[in-house]
Amino acid sequence: MGKLIRLELYNFKSYKGHHSLLFGDSYFTSIIGPNGSGKSNSMDAISFVLGIKSSHLRSSHLRDLVYRGRVLKKSTINEDGSATKTLTDGHVHGDVDGQEDDGQTNTQERQDPKSAWVTAVYEDDAGDEQLWKRTITNQGVSEYRINNRTVAAQQYNEALEAENILIKARNFLVFQGDVEAIASQSPRDLTRLIEQISGSLEYKAEYERLKEAQEEALENQNYNLNRRRGINSEIKQYQEQKREADSYARKADGRDQAIVTHILWKLYHFQRVIEESSAEMQKHQEELKEHRRSIEKYENNLEEAKKDQAKVGRDVHKIERNIKRKEKDIEEKENNLVPIAEKISITNEHFSKTSARCSEIGKERDGRTATVKQLSKDLRVVEKAEAQWEGEWGKLREQEGRALNDADLQQYNKLKEDVTKQTSADQIKASNLTRQQKADEETVNSLKSKVNAIEYQIENLDGEIEDIRMHHGKVNVIINQTSKEIDSKKKDYNGLTSERLRLAQNRTELDEKLQEVLLKLVEAEDGRKQNEKELRLKATIADMKRIFPGVKGRISELCKPKQKKYGTAVSTVLGRHFDAVVVDDEKTAKDCIQYLRDQRRGQATFIPLDTIQSKAINSHIKGMHRGTIMAIDTIDYDKAVDRAMSYACGNAIVCDDLSIARYMCYEKGVEAKAVTLDGTVIHKGGLMTGGRGRENNARRWEDTEIDNLRNLAEKLRADIYALPESRRTHEENLHGELSGLEQKLTYAREEARSRERNLSSKEKELSHALKSLKEAKPRYDEKHKEFEALKAELKSYQDVIDEAEDEVFANFCQRLGYGNIRIYEAQQGSLQQEGAQKKLEFRQQKNKLKSRISFEKQQLEETENRLRVLKDRAQQDEALIAELEGQKESTQNDIDTLCAELEQLQQELDVQKAKQNRKAEKVAEQRREVQKRSKNVDGTVKAIASLEVEVQRNAVGKYALLRRCKLEDITIPLADDSRGLDQLPIDGMLHGNPDAMDVDEDPDTSTLHPKMVQDYGIDVDFDDLDDDLKESSDGKLDEELQEKIESLNREMDGMAPNMRAIERLEGTESRLRTTEKEFEDARRRAKRAKDDFREVKEQRFELFNKAFAHITEQIGPIYKELTRSSALPMGGQAYLDIEDSDEPYLDGIKYHAMPPLKRFRDMEHLSGGEKTMAALALLFAVHSYQPSPFFVLDEVDAALDNANVAKIANYIRDHARPGMQFIVISLKTGLFQESEALVGIYRDQGANSSRALTLDLRKYL
């Protein structure tokens, strides 16, 4: 086998330009280099040139394999100070703000290559070099070349496979992660790996297709074989049935002839009685017409009287409705007056309170006005007194002063100057202190006045707040009392309302139930009047039930549709049996018929349960279509009358619509009457009947419940009348009282809120006053204290000045006779002091009066505002009272008008009732006249009724026989001009109305219009009937004819032949010939499919088993060699376990590995290194089956420790030889140091490319 000599790359991934990876004649080469240098890209290059898909090359598209350099941006400062960027390739691309990669422009600037290629130089066994080259463009287009000759991809792959380089199996390389994937793969994945290596996977699709074809062919063969066996069995059965059918046909002919004779005999005598009775009845009809003409005048008079009476009754009813309407309007108006009066009372009360409050506040305003006037007067008095005092004080000051002579005055001034010189500093200070004392004294007096005014304001506010709280408490008491009263009234009102609503709800529920019951009654009785005939029929059935215990009732009373939608369909199915009477036995039926004859109460059809013959239900019809149901299954009935219901319903089916009925009768060929939900019928013979015909019968399903509905309606009416009358007036009175109380509560709450706002305002004023007092009082105390301290300081300086004055003025004072100079000065200054004191008092008194006047004016203004608000409220109340009085007067006028109208209507009602009574008397008189003259008609009517009953009974018997002939296909002789039996309506009755009952009409309503006997144009030919049968109508003869028919029927019932056996025998023999031919064809196809499948199976098994046997043989020694060490020379054990030895590729293959000195464990329980060693052993074993000339491993030692790496290196070194070249990518020193050659990959940052260096290590060994 050959070897890979070198690898040439051009612009492939990280390799820019042309590069060569030299492997030379080394059989163990390691590719090394730092992370990111491009080691794995060399692995991708080998995979790429050998045809591996791009998904395994760490690229989503092949075009991504073309080199695209990473541009490095650098900034360079130009001479002018601007910056430009310089790329790694030396080209300048503008300013530094440009983008690194701006689409196509930057790509063109970088001049990225348009294509890349990889060439593998391979030396074959003959020593010749082969060049395998694969080129890829940046558009993703690949080109393959062998020895510089362009070839197709298929030829390229075939050339590689010729050197045992299998692309699909990838037997020449192991990617990163493949080892871990193999170590953790499932048994089925391992089976698939061996299939890929062996080549058996190529037969998988063909294997599965042929296997499916074989199974299908075998199934078809078995199906035809079973068909042939079943047909042979059918042929034997039909041959036996044919012999039995021939015997049955002979007896059936005799039976049919006996039936025809019996029917002809009965029809002959029915026709005879009908003709005789009809002639007699026509005679009586003529007599009846004469009697009717005589009473027609009186009947017309009676009808006119009834019309007049009905007209007057309608007028009376109309007036009564108007009276009720007026009474209701009057009641509503009177009820409306109650809340208006209550509102007037409440508003008057509120107006009174408001007026009283206005009076109180008015008095308060007058008091405050008087107080302001008095204070202003006092202020003027004080100002007048002050002016008077100032005049008197000036005169007094002149009188009290003592005058000095000029010499004394000069000496006084001179001495004063001496004192000033001695105490100039003290006098200056004393003078300053005196001025300050005066200023402080004014400040202290001002603060004292302010404090006094605030204290007075606080005192007044406390009194007002106390008064407001007292009134607010009273208002709260009123609110609480009113709230309690409202709660009590509301409780009573809610109780009345709840009771009224409960009664209204009960009345509504009862009304709804009554309306529902009445609606049901209307629906049940729609189109049908409860006339005397219907009542007499019910009474007749009730009398028969009472007299004859065996009478069960009518069919319509004994059954009921399970769902309402089946009503029309079931009534159509029952047809003439709808009103048939069910009895226990034939004797009861005869007794009932005799009773009807004796009592002249009409006629009816009876169904005796003991003798009625009903056909068995055909179970095959059930479930043939989901839209059909047997008629017998649509009704509920007592099991005691099951035979009667089976007879009445037969095999009839109910279909959802006409299309289903057509499908069942025409396509499926069901021999049964099909009836749709809307009443359309498809008969056995194919005749279709439609339209609206049995709605009356459908509506009469509720006849048995009508009495119950009527009783329920009466009960509901009684319950409605029993409900107590609504106490509406009391409730409205309570509502009016509640409205008044709520308005009162609203006013009280509004007053309370007003009081609260006033209280809040006063409290804020008080708080502000207290705050002001709290601020002013300390200031006053502080200023007063400072003032006292100032006085003390002033006194100390004054004492020094006084000592100096005493010393200087000693002689002067002694000479003049004063104790000291201050006495003289005091005598002159006391007046000044007294005047100052008096002025201070006047000022304080004026300030106090002004403060009080300001406060009283403020209070007066607030009082006037409150008074203004109350007056506005009073005006609103007056306006509301006037409006309510107007409403009350208008409502009262309306009531008076309505009462007058009501009185007028009462008078009209009395007049109309009197007129109604006169009309009723006239109707009674006319009715007596008609009844007096109607007695002559009774005899004739009874005679006609008796004859009509006889005609109808025989006509019904005749129609029943003819209908039986049509339904049972009995052929009877007919006259030449007669219509056929196919013209006879299946559901027709005697009088053209298919919904009529088999009971006589009311003689009072039918005598003038006698019922016509329908013969439907059918004329029976009685010539074949023997004369002795024509002459006798004895019941014994009927019994003899019936016995003959029943005898033949009993013989035929014991035979039960298959009448279609001959026809089916011929068809079955034909099917047998066809089936035998199909069986032979299926047998040949099965044999051919089996042979084809066996051939593919053997090929697949041979390929798979050959590979599996080789790998199983190699896995053990390889694993031992990989795990062997000097300490453990035996190494570990590994083997493959196949799960299905017959077809191993269909099941999994388990791989077991036991490292040295360890027990057996599953693969998933091994450590990472142990899994890697086991996986590598499996890879080497698999590779040994069809080894490629070289084996490329990409970092398979990543998860191994140094010891295991050394074992892998030793194994590769020992097995590297001609025919087995190893190329390993690794970062482990323990591995690549054992190789023969090294290919170093590094990154050239300047060129932005990966580069390679080759080193032959054998030179250094």
Side-chain angles (χ1 to χ4, degrees):
M1 299 180 70
K3 63 189 299 290
L4 190 63
I5 296 178
R6 68 179 181 273
L7 197 68
E8 296 183 0
L9 298 83
Y10 179 75
N11 291 332
F12 182 81
K13 295 192 81 170
S14 62
Y15 293 88
K16 179 182 178 182
H18 184 272
H19 298 270
S20 295
L21 276 66
L22 302 177
F23 305 124
D25 56 354
S26 171
Y27 290 98
F28 180 12
T29 304
S30 294
I31 300 175
I32 62 174
N35 289 330
S37 60
K39 299 188 304 299
S40 296
N41 290 342
S42 60
M43 176 74 167
D44 293 341
I46 297 173
S47 305
F48 169 73
V49 75
L50 296 179
I52 299 299
K53 294 181 179 179
S54 63
S55 59
H56 297 289
L57 304 179
R58 300 179 299 163
S59 298
S60 57
H61 303 285
L62 284 174
R63 63 175 175 268
D64 296 336
L65 301 178
V66 179
Y67 171 82
R68 286 185 293 179
R70 180 168 57 90
V71 178
L72 299 179
K73 183 171 65 178
K74 298 180 182 179
S75 296
T76 303
I77 304 300
N78 300 326
E79 294 180 357
D80 59 355
S82 62
T84 58
K85 66 177 183 179
T86 304
L87 303 183
T88 55
D89 57 3
H91 297 285
V92 178
H93 298 281
D95 60 289
V96 296
D97 293 331
Q99 298 295 323
E100 290 184 8
D101 185 6
D102 188 11
Q104 185 176 358
T105 302
N106 286 350
T107 301
Q108 293 174 354
E109 290 174 352
R110 292 199 309 265
Q111 298 180 354
D112 285 345
K114 304 299 183 181
S115 64
W117 52 261
V118 178
T119 301
V121 181
Y122 176 77
E123 184 181 277
D124 57 17
D125 294 337
D128 297 330
E129 289 187 358
Q130 296 185 22
L131 301 180
W132 297 329
K133 182 178 181 181
R134 183 180 179 185
T135 304
I136 180 68
T137 66
N138 57 3
Q139 302 300 322
V141 179
S142 289
E143 181 186 62
Y144 298 92
R145 289 175 177 270
I146 299 178
N147 295 327
N148 295 322
R149 181 174 56 88
T150 302
V151 296
Q154 182 65 28
Q155 294 176 325
Y156 194 80
N157 292 339
E158 290 174 357
L160 294 176
E161 290 175 1
E163 297 297 331
N164 213 21
I165 300 173
L166 306 179
I167 297 175
K168 293 182 179 179
R170 293 195 304 172
N171 64 337
F172 56 89
L173 56 84
V174 178
F175 285 107
Q176 290 184 17
D178 285 356
V179 175
E180 289 79 0
I182 291 173
S184 60
Q185 66 184 351
S186 64
R188 287 191 176 273
D189 292 336
L190 182 55
T191 302
R192 182 174 178 83
L193 175 63
I194 296 177
E195 275 206 285
Q196 289 177 341
I197 295 300
S198 65
S200 64
L201 188 61
E202 296 179 0
Y203 292 93
K204 181 179 179 181
E206 185 69 12
Y207 170 89
E208 292 176 350
R209 184 185 65 79
L210 292 175
K211 183 177 182 181
E212 183 178 355
Q214 178 192 7
E215 292 174 352
E216 183 179 355
L218 289 175
E219 183 180 356
N220 190 25
Q221 178 185 353
N222 293 333
Y223 170 74
N224 285 285
L225 177 61
N226 292 330
R227 280 184 62 198
R228 188 179 68 174
R229 290 174 180 172
I231 292 172
N232 285 327
S233 176
E234 286 182 19
I235 289 174
K236 293 179 182 179
Q237 181 180 0
Y238 288 144
Q239 289 174 348
E240 181 65 27
Q241 290 177 355
K242 178 177 178 299
R243 290 189 292 270
E244 186 178 358
D246 293 339
S247 175
Y248 183 85
R250 290 190 296 272
K251 293 184 181 295
D253 293 339
R255 192 251 344 245
D256 293 342
Q257 185 60 41
I259 291 174
V260 170
T261 302
H262 181 241
I263 290 174
L264 287 175
W265 176 75
K266 294 183 74 173
L267 288 174
Y268 177 80
H269 290 287
F270 282 144
Q271 185 65 31
R272 179 179 58 81
V273 174
I274 289 172
E275 292 174 354
E276 294 174 356
S277 299
S278 297
E280 187 68 20
M281 188 169 58
Q282 186 64 32
K283 179 181 177 182
H284 288 294
Q285 288 286 347
E286 295 297 329
E287 297 176 358
L288 183 61
K289 289 179 181 178
E290 295 297 328
H291 292 300
R292 285 291 175 85
R293 291 192 193 99
S294 63
I295 66 172
E296 185 176 359
K297 175 182 177 182
Y298 296 97
E299 289 177 345
N300 292 334
N301 293 336
L302 177 61
E303 291 299 323
E304 291 295 329
K306 285 182 178 180
K307 291 180 180 178
D308 294 340
Q309 183 187 15
K311 182 178 179 182
V312 175
R314 288 194 295 272
D315 294 339
V316 170
H317 184 62
K318 181 178 180 181
I319 294 173
E320 287 177 347
R321 287 201 307 270
N322 291 333
I323 289 173
K324 289 182 179 179
R325 191 180 300 112
K326 295 296 181 182
E327 289 176 348
K328 184 176 180 182
D329 293 340
I330 291 171
E331 183 181 359
E332 290 179 356
K333 294 292 184 180
E334 290 176 348
N335 291 336
N336 292 335
L337 281 177
V338 175
I340 293 175
E342 184 66 23
K343 289 180 180 179
I344 291 173
S345 175
I346 292 170
T347 308
N348 282 326
E349 181 181 355
H350 187 264
F351 176 73
S352 300
K353 290 182 178 180
T354 305
S355 300
R357 183 62 180 162
C358 286
S359 299
E360 293 177 2
I361 296 176
K363 291 179 181 180
E364 182 181 351
R365 181 197 61 183
D366 295 340
R368 292 191 181 277
T369 304
T371 301
V372 172
K373 288 181 180 180
Q374 183 62 39
L375 291 174
S376 299
K377 184 178 180 182
D378 293 344
L379 179 61
R380 290 194 297 272
V381 171
V382 172
E383 289 175 347
K384 186 176 180 182
E386 183 182 10
Q388 184 179 356
W389 173 81
E390 286 179 350
E392 293 176 354
W393 179 74
K395 293 178 181 180
L396 181 61
R397 187 179 59 182
E398 292 177 356
Q399 294 175 1
E400 290 294 331
R402 180 181 298 175
L404 295 177
N405 54 31
D406 295 335
D408 293 336
L409 186 59
Q410 290 179 358
Q411 185 180 4
Y412 174 78
N413 292 331
K414 184 176 181 299
L415 293 174
K416 199 68 173 174
E417 292 176 359
D418 294 338
V419 172
T420 302
K421 291 178 181 179
Q422 292 180 8
T423 60
S424 60
D426 293 332
Q427 283 184 357
I428 291 172
K429 290 182 179 180
S431 178
N432 293 335
L433 289 175
T434 300
R435 286 194 300 271
Q436 185 177 356
Q437 181 183 6
K438 290 180 180 180
D440 290 348
E441 185 178 6
E442 290 180 0
T443 302
V444 170
N445 291 334
S446 175
L447 289 173
K448 186 176 181 181
S449 298
K450 184 177 181 181
V451 169
N452 292 335
I454 293 173
E455 288 176 348
Y456 177 76
Q457 182 183 3
I458 290 172
E459 182 180 354
N460 289 336
L461 288 173
D462 286 336
E464 291 180 2
I465 288 172
E466 186 65 27
D467 183 60
I468 292 172
R469 284 177 176 169
M470 181 181 66
H471 286 87
H472 186 264
K474 293 179 180 179
V475 173
N476 284 335
V477 170
I478 294 173
I479 290 173
N480 293 333
Q481 291 177 352
T482 307
S483 297
K484 290 180 181 178
E485 192 172 355
I486 288 174
D487 292 340
S488 176
K489 295 289 184 182
K490 276 188 177 179
K491 185 175 181 182
D492 297 339
Y493 177 75
N494 291 335
L496 290 175
T497 304
S498 300
E499 181 66 17
R500 178 175 59 80
L501 292 176
R502 186 183 64 80
L503 292 175
Q505 184 177 1
N506 291 341
R507 188 182 300 276
T508 302
E509 291 177 355
L510 291 174
D511 285 339
E512 289 176 355
K513 291 180 181 178
L514 179 61
Q515 292 301 323
E516 184 179 354
V517 171
L518 293 176
L519 181 61
K520 289 182 179 178
L521 282 171
V522 170
E523 290 178 353
E525 296 179 347
D526 186 23
R528 180 180 63 84
K529 296 181 179 179
Q530 275 294 34
N531 52 22
E532 295 178 2
K533 168 190 167 184
E534 183 68 21
L535 296 175
R536 187 169 64 251
L537 174 60
K538 289 185 178 181
T540 300
I541 300 297
D543 292 342
M544 286 193 297
K545 285 184 179 180
R546 186 177 67 255
I547 298 171
F548 307 107
V551 177
K552 301 294 185 182
R554 290 184 291 176
I555 289 285
S556 59
E557 297 171 347
L558 296 175
C559 69
K560 183 178 179 182
K562 293 181 178 178
Q563 298 183 27
K564 192 172 181 180
K565 67 178 182 177
Y566 295 133
T568 302
V570 174
S571 63
T572 304
V573 170
L574 294 177
R576 66 188 180 88
H577 299 301
F578 190 84
D579 289 311
V581 182
V582 180
V583 296
D584 285 341
D585 48 35
E586 185 178 2
K587 181 178 180 304
T588 303
K590 291 179 178 179
D591 292 341
C592 291
I593 293 172
Q594 188 61 41
Y595 171 78
L596 293 175
R597 288 176 178 172
D598 295 342
Q599 299 295 324
R600 293 178 177 270
R601 302 183 73 169
Q603 70 177 22
T605 302
F606 294 88
I607 300 177
L609 295 174
D610 62 337
T611 60
I612 194 69
Q613 295 182 359
S614 60
K615 295 182 179 180
I617 302 298
N618 188 352
S619 60
H620 296 293
I621 300 177
K622 291 184 177 180
M624 291 184 68
H625 194 283
R626 63 180 182 180
T628 62
I629 185 173
M630 299 296 294
I632 192 70
D633 294 333
T634 62
I635 57 175
D636 289 325
Y637 57 88
D638 190 352
K639 292 299 181 184
V641 295
D642 182 66
R643 286 171 58 86
M645 297 302 169
S646 299
Y647 170 76
C649 295
N651 283 327
I653 57 176
V654 176
C655 305
D656 289 347
D657 51 43
L658 185 59
S659 61
I660 297 176
R662 288 174 175 170
Y663 171 77
M664 294 294 291
C665 293
Y666 299 150
E667 297 184 20
K668 286 291 186 180
V670 176
E671 296 181 356
K673 179 165 66 175
V675 183
T676 64
L677 295 178
D678 59 359
T680 303
V681 185
I682 299 180
H683 303 281
K684 291 182 182 179
L687 181 65
M688 184 182 297
T689 304
R692 303 175 67 86
R694 298 199 174 270
E695 289 184 353
N696 293 335
N697 281 350
R699 294 190 186 100
R700 287 171 57 195
W701 282 116
E702 286 79 16
D703 285 353
T704 57
E705 299 179 1
I706 290 178
D707 293 336
N708 294 334
L709 291 174
R710 288 199 182 95
N711 295 334
L712 179 58
E714 292 300 327
K715 181 178 180 302
L716 291 173
R717 288 192 183 97
D719 292 341
I720 292 173
Y721 294 147
L723 290 174
E725 293 295 330
S726 175
R727 300 171 63 186
R728 186 78 179 185
T729 304
H730 185 39
E731 181 181 349
E732 290 176 350
N733 291 336
L734 275 177
H735 184 266
E737 293 175 4
L738 269 174
S739 299
L741 289 173
E742 287 176 350
Q743 191 171 1
K744 179 181 178 181
L745 180 62
T746 301
Y747 290 150
R749 285 177 175 170
E750 185 178 353
E751 185 176 357
R753 286 193 293 270
S754 177
R755 294 282 184 180
E756 289 174 356
R757 288 194 296 270
N758 194 10
L759 179 61
S760 176
S761 176
K762 294 298 181 183
E763 287 177 347
K764 287 180 179 178
E765 289 181 15
L766 179 59
S767 175
H768 179 70
L770 291 172
K771 183 179 179 182
S772 299
L773 179 62
K774 186 176 180 181
E775 293 175 355
K777 186 75 173 184
R779 288 180 60 196
Y780 167 72
D781 294 339
E782 182 181 357
K783 288 295 182 180
H784 187 267
K785 189 181 294 184
E786 291 177 356
F787 180 70
E788 293 296 331
L790 184 62
K791 285 172 66 177
E793 185 180 1
L794 179 60
K795 187 177 181 302
S796 64
Y797 286 107
Q798 192 64 45
D799 291 341
V800 174
I801 295 171
D802 289 345
E803 290 178 0
E805 286 179 347
D806 290 342
E807 182 180 354
V808 173
F809 284 98
N811 295 329
F812 181 80
C813 291
Q814 185 178 4
R815 181 171 61 81
L816 292 177
Y818 290 102
N820 53 48
I821 191 64
R822 289 181 297 280
I823 295 174
Y824 169 78
E825 291 176 350
Q827 188 177 7
Q828 294 295 322
S830 61
L831 293 176
Q832 295 291 336
Q833 184 177 1
E834 182 181 354
Q837 182 65 32
K838 201 67 175 177
K839 287 181 180 179
L840 178 62
E841 290 176 0
F842 278 119
R843 187 165 56 252
Q844 289 177 348
Q845 192 171 5
K846 285 166 63 178
N847 289 337
K848 185 175 182 182
L849 288 173
K850 288 179 180 179
S851 297
R852 286 198 60 189
I853 289 171
S854 175
F855 174 74
E856 290 296 337
K857 285 183 177 180
Q858 183 180 358
Q859 294 298 318
L860 178 61
E861 184 179 357
E862 292 180 358
T863 303
E864 288 178 347
N865 291 335
R866 286 158 48 203
L867 181 61
R868 191 180 305 109
V869 170
L870 289 174
K871 286 182 178 180
D872 292 340
R873 290 181 185 172
Q875 291 176 0
Q876 292 175 1
D877 290 341
E878 283 182 329
L880 180 60
I881 290 170
E883 181 183 354
L884 292 174
E885 289 290 348
Q887 292 179 3
K888 181 178 179 181
E889 183 178 358
S890 175
T891 305
Q892 189 62 48
N893 292 335
D894 293 341
I895 292 173
D896 295 339
T897 302
L898 291 173
C899 288
E901 294 175 356
L902 178 63
E903 185 176 356
Q904 184 178 356
L905 288 173
Q906 288 288 357
Q907 294 174 359
E908 293 179 4
L909 179 63
D910 294 338
V911 172
Q912 291 296 329
K913 282 188 174 180
K915 187 176 180 180
Q916 185 182 25
N917 292 333
R918 291 194 299 272
K919 296 294 182 181
E921 292 176 0
K922 185 176 180 180
V923 170
E925 182 181 355
Q926 294 296 331
R927 185 178 286 111
R928 287 193 295 271
E929 291 293 332
V930 171
Q931 290 176 353
K932 185 187 301 183
R933 288 165 175 76
S934 297
K935 293 180 181 179
N936 299 329
V937 184
D938 292 344
T940 306
V941 169
K942 290 181 180 179
I944 293 174
S946 177
L947 291 171
E948 191 176 42
V949 167
E950 188 68 19
V951 170
Q952 295 298 328
R953 185 178 64 80
N954 286 275
V956 168
K958 178 181 176 181
Y959 171 78
L961 287 174
L962 292 175
R963 184 174 180 274
R964 176 188 171 193
C965 292
K966 178 178 180 179
L967 294 177
E968 298 180 7
D969 293 330
I970 298 174
T971 303
I972 59 175
L974 300 175
D976 295 338
D977 57 348
S978 172
R979 299 173 67 182
L981 288 177
D982 56 346
Q983 302 297 319
L984 180 72
I986 297 298
D987 295 326
M989 298 299 286
L990 293 178
H991 313 295
N993 181 10
D995 297 328
M997 278 181 48
D998 280 341
V999 180
D1000 282 343
E1001 291 289 342
D1002 186 0
D1004 296 336
T1005 59
S1006 64
T1007 51
L1008 289 178
H1009 303 285
K1011 298 179 179 178
M1012 301 300 296
V1013 177
Q1014 293 281 358
D1015 59 4
Y1016 303 103
I1018 298 174
D1019 186 10
V1020 182
D1021 185 3
F1022 298 106
D1023 294 341
D1024 295 339
L1025 189 65
D1026 296 339
D1027 294 338
D1028 54 349
L1029 294 177
K1030 292 180 179 179
E1031 294 175 358
S1032 176
S1033 61
D1034 190 8
K1036 292 183 179 179
L1037 183 58
D1038 185 19
E1039 293 178 358
E1040 291 176 1
L1041 294 174
Q1042 287 280 8
E1043 179 60 29
K1044 181 178 179 181
I1045 295 172
E1046 291 177 359
S1047 175
L1048 290 171
N1049 279 331
R1050 284 193 295 271
E1051 293 178 4
M1052 294 172 64
D1053 289 342
M1055 297 178 68
N1058 183 2
M1059 303 306 296
R1060 302 179 64 183
I1062 299 174
E1063 178 184 351
R1064 292 181 178 176
L1065 177 62
E1066 294 175 356
T1068 305
E1069 289 175 346
S1070 176
R1071 283 195 296 117
L1072 177 62
R1073 290 189 294 271
T1074 302
T1075 303
E1076 286 180 344
K1077 181 179 179 181
E1078 292 176 353
F1079 171 72
E1080 290 298 327
D1081 293 341
R1083 188 175 61 81
R1084 286 192 295 271
R1085 286 195 299 271
K1087 184 177 183 301
R1088 186 166 56 252
K1090 184 178 180 181
D1091 294 340
D1092 294 342
F1093 174 70
R1094 183 174 61 251
E1095 181 180 356
V1096 172
K1097 177 183 175 183
E1098 289 175 354
Q1099 291 176 353
R1100 187 179 184 187
F1101 177 79
E1102 182 179 357
L1103 290 173
F1104 186 88
N1105 198 42
K1106 180 179 179 182
F1108 177 75
H1110 175 81
I1111 294 170
T1112 301
E1113 181 181 354
Q1114 294 295 323
I1115 188 67
I1118 292 175
Y1119 186 70
K1120 285 183 179 181
E1121 187 175 356
L1122 286 175
T1123 56
R1124 183 185 301 136
S1125 64
S1126 58
L1128 300 170
M1130 296 301 294
Q1133 297 182 5
Y1135 62 92
L1136 297 176
D1137 185 11
I1138 194 169
E1139 296 181 358
D1140 186 355
S1141 58
D1142 293 334
E1143 292 185 277
Y1145 36 78
L1146 297 180
D1147 216 327
I1149 295 176
K1150 292 184 178 180
Y1151 177 34
H1152 302 286
M1154 290 181 290
L1157 299 180
K1158 292 191 178 181
R1159 60 183 178 83
F1160 171 78
R1161 285 188 295 179
D1162 290 336
M1163 184 67 71
E1164 60 266 18
H1165 295 152
L1166 298 178
S1167 66
E1170 291 171 344
K1171 287 181 181 179
T1172 302
M1173 296 298 286
L1176 287 172
L1178 179 60
L1179 283 173
F1180 291 145
V1182 169
H1183 181 265
S1184 66
Y1185 173 63
Q1186 286 184 341
S1188 64
F1190 50 84
F1191 200 25
V1192 184
L1193 304 176
D1194 187 3
E1195 296 189 20
V1196 297
D1197 55 352
L1200 298 178
D1201 57 10
N1202 293 332
N1204 286 326
V1205 169
K1207 294 176 181 178
I1208 294 297
N1210 292 332
Y1211 178 84
I1212 294 175
R1213 185 189 60 210
D1214 294 341
H1215 290 78
R1217 59 182 180 273
M1220 178 61 74
Q1221 178 186 10
F1222 286 94
I1223 300 174
V1224 181
I1225 300 174
S1226 176
L1227 291 174
K1228 298 292 183 72
T1229 306
L1231 179 61
F1232 65 72
Q1233 70 182 2
E1234 299 295 332
S1235 61
E1236 297 177 355
L1238 290 179
V1239 176
I1241 307 297
Y1242 66 95
R1243 186 76 176 179
D1244 186 350
Q1245 295 296 341
N1248 192 24
S1249 172
S1250 297
R1251 294 188 180 278
L1253 296 175
T1254 303
L1255 179 63
D1256 189 352
L1257 297 180
R1258 290 174 294 182
K1259 299 177 181 180
Y1260 306 99
L1261 295 178

